Amino acid sequence: MDRTEKREFVASLGSVFADTSFVLVAQNNGLTVAAVDDLRRRMRAAGATYKVAKNRLANLALEGTRFQGISPLLKGPTALAWSKDPVAVAKTAVEFARGNDKFVILGGAIGTQTLDVNGVKALSELPSLETLRAQLLGLIQTPATRIAGVLQAPAGQLARVFKAYADKDGSSEGAEAA
């Protein structure tokens, strides 16, 4: 990389750090090209980005951002993964690490909060953003359904009472005619 490419890389990584909510740091020492391609494919499917970055350039991009706490993790062959949905990145990384011992999660950060390996694993056990949205929508819809049922109940009861009177009047007229 020449100087202009390095400046562009630092600027693009800095803009990523400004836009994202979660950054994961991992070591990828000894991963095969096929394994890295598989990890990138999984990350992309989860809506995340995975990039191997030079530590010095990543540290320059981290300066002045809310993710400065991960700077000490940038030692040796490291890679960064990020997404707006922190759970998706954590789940994908933890799943991949279970099947590949050469991929080691070092930690990460959600905003200014720095996470260690256990924090990332705990984050991966949370439901995804889509699942949480579905659960929230279900909670919101449940009271509305109950309210609709309660509001419809008196009308249904009135209809049954009118039907009972109608049946009673119809059966007494039939008895008088005989």
Side-chain angles (χ1 to χ4, degrees):
M1 284 182 138
D2 65 355
R3 284 181 184 246
T4 57
E5 287 176 328
K6 288 178 182 179
R7 278 192 210 114
E8 290 172 6
F9 181 77
V10 169
S12 68
L13 204 54
S15 67
V16 163
F17 292 147
D19 292 340
T20 192
S21 63
F22 177 71
V23 176
L24 175 98
V25 181
Q27 271 190 339
N28 57 349
N29 197 8
L31 283 179
T32 64
V33 172
V36 171
D37 286 344
D38 181 38
L39 178 58
R40 281 194 173 113
R41 198 171 29 259
R42 289 183 190 190
M43 288 286 185
R44 215 176 0 256
T49 304
Y50 174 83
K51 194 167 215 77
V52 176
K54 291 191 176 221
N55 295 336
R56 192 174 57 77
L57 297 178
N59 276 321
L60 287 173
L62 283 169
E63 285 179 17
T65 68
R66 59 185 173 200
F67 298 112
Q68 281 182 317
I70 64 172
S71 289
L73 300 175
L74 298 174
K75 289 183 174 62
T78 56
L80 303 171
W82 61 84
S83 173
K84 293 189 180 191
D85 180 8
V87 176
V89 176
K91 276 184 194 255
T92 305
V94 168
E95 278 179 23
F96 188 80
R98 280 188 194 130
N100 198 327
D101 58 343
K102 293 182 181 181
F103 181 75
V104 179
I105 298 169
L106 299 176
I110 296 180
T112 57
Q113 180 67 40
T114 305
L115 303 173
D116 61 355
V117 179
N118 293 329
V120 173
K121 286 181 181 177
L123 184 64
S124 74
E125 294 169 1
L126 292 174
S128 70
L129 190 57
E130 290 179 12
T131 305
L132 288 173
R133 285 180 179 156
Q135 289 174 348
L136 182 61
L137 188 61
L139 288 172
I140 291 170
Q141 286 180 339
T142 301
T145 316
R146 287 185 181 159
I147 289 171
V150 168
L151 292 176
Q152 289 176 353
Q157 289 173 344
L158 281 175
R160 286 190 288 278
V161 168
F162 289 146
K163 184 177 183 318
Y165 278 119
D167 289 345
K168 181 179 168 188
D169 289 340
S171 64
S172 61
E173 286 177 12
E176 290 174 7

